[in-house]
Amino acid sequence: MKRILESVAAMVAACAAIAGMPAMAQEDEGRWSIAIHGGAGTLDRADMTPERDAAYRASLQAALDAGKAVLAGGGSALDAVEAVVTRLEDDEKFNAGRGAVFTWDGTHELDAAIMDGRDRAAGAIAGVTGVRHPIMLARKVMIDSPHVMLAGEGAEEFAHEQGVEFMPPEWFDTDARREALERMKAEKLSALDVDIKFGTVGAVALDTHGNLAAGTSTGGMTGKRWGRIGDAPVIGAGTYADNDSCAVSGTGWGEYFIRVGVAHEICTRLRYRLLAERDLLQATVPTDADGVPVDYIHSAEFVLDADKAQEEIDAVMGDVARLGGDGGVIVVTRDGFPLFSFNTTGMYRGRATSEGLDQVAIYGDE
Ligand code: ASP
């Protein structure tokens, strides 16, 4: 019996070792994991100056460090996500909060969502103007309202009632985003032509208590009109978290992410893949004289290795690509693997774990 348990444990450990990442069972004390993004898109080395490249990396590292500090201090995944996203919302290089893209009418309409993997509580806001930190307003919707999603003027009224910080319209303006709108109008281009990178921001985290959280914040797509809302605030499309599977934040062509239900689809696939892999391993456990397995592998103890999780995530992003959409996702699995997948040439991204992984990257080949 002991030998069998040992061999099963060895197989579980071997699965996790494949990806070069340590296995991290949910109940492991003191372990945490985080992944962040600042948008996906056409990001080629040739188009980047060394200064710009360095500035983006510094911003990503600072945001990642803010999330790491929360998690390493035993803070919650929700607080880590908020710490990362608020930082990137204030950074005008990214399309969220300050630096958000312009709508067709020259305004900024902000979307954001946050989700708690413990009980799948969620809060989202859409088409809001003037709010400095949309992610904080989304969290207030989750905690201080009976609703999941508020939009437009109603969401702003709620924000005022909650004492959320507002900034004047000019605070959100940047020359680069204005030029993108002007070029789009002058040359009759689509948002995809001028939004060479999407620039939405997001974070996903697993805290030392085994809880997952996800958050996403964006200005949407340049020149949007008619109250267009993207995937970021749509729970299950651009944002999702469930302690039983994973936490996901997306960036890209929102309409496709909504149609595929990207974030929820990834979590569902990971949940079923874990059960399927567990079943495969269970089938290898010998049975006694009555045909009863001598041991049961409980799914709560089973680790879905990073390679298999990556396959499922890539399959969902492949589906987005097949429909004609592009973009990327960051994922932290319930076992603590921080993973990326994108079908663009690059994605501003970063990830870190309590095991010492700590990296930021931009291009697809790094
Ligand atoms: N996904 C966002 C949207 O469609 C855009 C982005 O990722 O930058 O609104």
Side-chain angles (χ1 to χ4, degrees), residues 189-205:
L189 299 170
S190 77
L192 269 306
D193 297 316
V194 292
D195 284 351
I196 51 159
K197 53 177 172 30
F198 290 108
T200 287
V201 308
V204 289

Side-chain angles (χ1 to χ4, degrees), residues 43-57 93 348 362-363:
L43 295 166
D44 296 319
R45 278 196 176 78
D47 302 329
M48 226 19 155
T49 63
E51 293 75 27
R52 246 177 109 66
D53 181 295
Y56 272 102
R57 285 178 201 271
K93 289 192 286 306
Y348 296 116
I362 299 177
Y363 313 106

Side-chain angles (χ1 to χ4, degrees), residues 97-218:
R98 184 175 213 188
V101 297
F102 283 89
T103 65
W104 187 261
D105 298 324
T107 61
H108 305 282
E109 292 177 1
L110 311 171
D111 301 338
I114 196 162
M115 188 157 181
D116 186 343
R118 281 178 299 190
D119 56 358
R120 283 172 279 169
I125 53 110
V128 162
T129 54
V131 171
R132 178 172 177 179
H133 290 302
I135 196 74
M136 291 169 86
L137 180 56
R139 192 166 176 180
K140 285 208 169 284
V141 171
M142 176 172 80
I143 308 241
D144 297 316
S145 91
H147 307 297
V148 166
M149 192 176 207
L150 299 179
E153 284 175 16
E156 288 161 25
E157 197 184 315
F158 173 75
H160 281 298
E161 275 180 23
Q162 293 291 321
V164 158
E165 188 178 8
F166 275 77
M167 297 302 263
E170 321 80 71
W171 191 82
F172 298 88
D173 296 352
T174 51
D175 292 343
R177 301 295 186 193
R178 192 182 293 286
E179 276 159 28
L181 177 67
E182 283 165 4
R183 201 157 69 83
M184 178 187 196
K185 287 184 171 181
E187 298 175 32
K188 297 200 175 7
L189 299 170
S190 77
L192 269 306
D193 297 316
V194 292
D195 284 351
I196 51 159
K197 53 177 172 30
F198 290 108
T200 287
V201 308
V204 289
L206 174 73
D207 63 31
T208 54
H209 315 287
N211 295 317
L212 288 162
T216 313
S217 182
T218 187

Side-chain angles (χ1 to χ4, degrees), residues 37 39-40 95 111 197-200 218-221 224 228-232 250-255 257:
H37 73 79
N95 171 21
D111 301 338
K197 53 177 172 30
F198 290 108
T200 287
T218 187
M221 291 172 86
K224 65 182 184 180
R228 182 266 186 192
I229 293 165
D231 59 311
T251 173
W253 198 345
E255 279 70 10
F257 278 60

